[in-house]
Amino acid sequence: MGWTVDDMPSQEGRIAVVTGANIGLGLETTRALAQKGATVVMACRSKSRGEAARRQLLDEGLTGLDLLEMDLADLRSVERAIDVLSDQYGHLDLLLNNAGVMAPPRQLSPQGHELQFAVNHLGHMALTQGLLPLMASQTDARVVSVTSGAQYFGAIRWDDLSWAKGYDRYGAYGQSKLANVMFALELHNRLQSENSSVKSLAAHPGIARTNLQPAALASGGNRWEAMAYRLMDPLFQSAGMGALPQLHAATAASAQSGEHYGPSQLGGLRGSPGQCRIAPTALDPSKRQRLWDLSDQLIRA
Ligand SMILES: NC(=O)c1ccc[n+]([C@@H]2O[C@H](COP(=O)([O-])OP(=O)(O)OC[C@H]3O[C@@H](n4cnc5c(N)ncnc54)[C@H](OP(=O)(O)O)[C@@H]3O)[C@@H](O)[C@H]2O)c1
């Protein structure tokens, strides 16, 4: 029997921020952390969807759930969220960079970046940079970046990060999810070189039944894509199982900074969490630093 929510240590007294907490893996992550006693700030882009999810968890008897409105596509919204969190909580123990969007038609964020790169990578990087000071003095503070098996086919388009030419919906998703694991490892290195005690880990869920694929189909899919998802359907695991790698990375005593967790069966598609392979590009320090510097410039522009 592999690692489950029952194996999670107590989170009493800890404060966690979960992005995209209203549905899917974020909701399961929130539920598990709250069950173990954490105060969870549910960071959601829609106040009404966030409040509905919070109500659902309160109706289950859980407590310690707060709501924060934040649109990761908009760096100004992320800045406002950082201010609110700094004012209201003063310190944080866990940051789960979970929210994500997959394969929409090409759209630009308010600051002019391709939507998936903006939401999945830039927004989370800006959020993390703003929240690290709140985590610095905490014991066992952790940042978990949620990536995907898409990192293995993803490539960084160094000269066209926003896909001005030849936009490919899944290519841009792969780029953003590769960026997530590159960010997690680069953050780990930077924290270590500053002698910070904050840990940075990455996790991916395999393939889990959430709103990610239906939303991708609804926004830009065709019948071939719908058929491919139908054929893959038996492989999908539950959202609860999909959330385990990120929960393991966030809470297991054995999980160390710089590690990457994912399902351990069927080539990383499903099963209990274990350490898993990292895309070669993310193992290249010069590429990680280049992405960090480029992203930093875009965030500060
Ligand atoms: N499910 C899988 O098979 C799978 C596989 C690999 C990786 N992942 C990764 O797992 C993570 C969680 O995805 P999921 O499967 O749980 O998908 P999901 O059910 O679609 O949930 C995605 C969450 O992200 C939020 N979100 C989207 N755009 C946002 C924005 N601009 N600002 C703030 N929040 C935003 C969504 O909010 P709304 O509800 O308001 O849209 C939702 O809460 C993602 O990073 C995804 O890339 C999932």
Side-chain angles (χ1 to χ4, degrees), residues 92-111:
L92 290 176
D93 301 281
L94 296 175
L95 170 60
L96 282 117
N97 287 329
N98 161 83
V101 58
M102 181 171 79
R106 185 169 183 267
Q107 291 168 54
L108 297 183
S109 70
Q111 285 77 36

Side-chain angles (χ1 to χ4, degrees), residues 126-141:
L127 181 68
T128 306
Q129 288 177 324
L131 296 183
L132 277 175
L134 304 186
M135 306 178 82
S137 59
Q138 296 305 105
T139 305
D140 198 19

Side-chain angles (χ1 to χ4, degrees), residues 102-105 169-170 211-230:
M102 181 171 79
R169 292 161 56 231
Y170 284 95
N211 197 40
L212 196 72
Q213 290 82 6
L217 273 180
S219 68
N222 56 35
R223 64 197 168 105
W224 301 113
E225 200 172 316
M227 193 187 293
Y229 280 129
R230 269 201 301 279

Side-chain angles (χ1 to χ4, degrees), residues 20 22 25 45 49 71-72 98 100 173 177 206 208 210-211 213:
N22 57 293
L25 306 182
R45 71 168 151 169
R49 286 194 291 275
D71 182 355
L72 283 157
N98 161 83
Y173 180 68
K177 292 283 118 181
T210 66
N211 197 40
Q213 290 82 6

Side-chain angles (χ1 to χ4, degrees), residues 3 5 8 28-30 32-33 96 240 243-252:
W3 192 91
V5 170
M8 272 174 69
E28 296 297 335
T29 299
T30 301
L33 290 169
L96 282 117
L244 288 181
Q246 62 205 56
L247 285 165
H248 186 278
T251 66

Side-chain angles (χ1 to χ4, degrees), residues 70-180:
M70 176 182 65
D71 182 355
L72 283 157
D74 184 353
L75 293 168
R76 302 293 88 79
S77 173
V78 174
E79 282 169 8
R80 286 193 293 277
I82 292 165
D83 287 345
V84 171
L85 289 164
S86 306
D87 288 348
Q88 288 190 359
Y89 300 93
H91 67 268
L92 290 176
D93 301 281
L94 296 175
L95 170 60
L96 282 117
N97 287 329
N98 161 83
V101 58
M102 181 171 79
R106 185 169 183 267
Q107 291 168 54
L108 297 183
S109 70
Q111 285 77 36
H113 309 301
E114 188 279 319
L115 188 72
Q116 297 175 85
F117 193 70
V119 171
N120 300 354
H121 171 58
L122 288 179
H124 279 129
M125 177 167 170
L127 181 68
T128 306
Q129 288 177 324
L131 296 183
L132 277 175
L134 304 186
M135 306 178 82
S137 59
Q138 296 305 105
T139 305
D140 198 19
R142 304 188 194 190
V143 178
V144 178
S145 298
V146 177
T147 174
S148 160
Q151 68 177 276
Y152 305 126
F153 67 74
I156 306 294
R157 280 201 150 194
W158 296 108
D159 299 323
D160 185 16
L161 288 170
S162 278
W163 296 75
K165 292 186 214 117
Y167 179 67
D168 177 305
R169 292 161 56 231
Y170 284 95
Y173 180 68
Q175 168 176 263
S176 73
K177 292 283 118 181
L178 176 59
N180 287 152

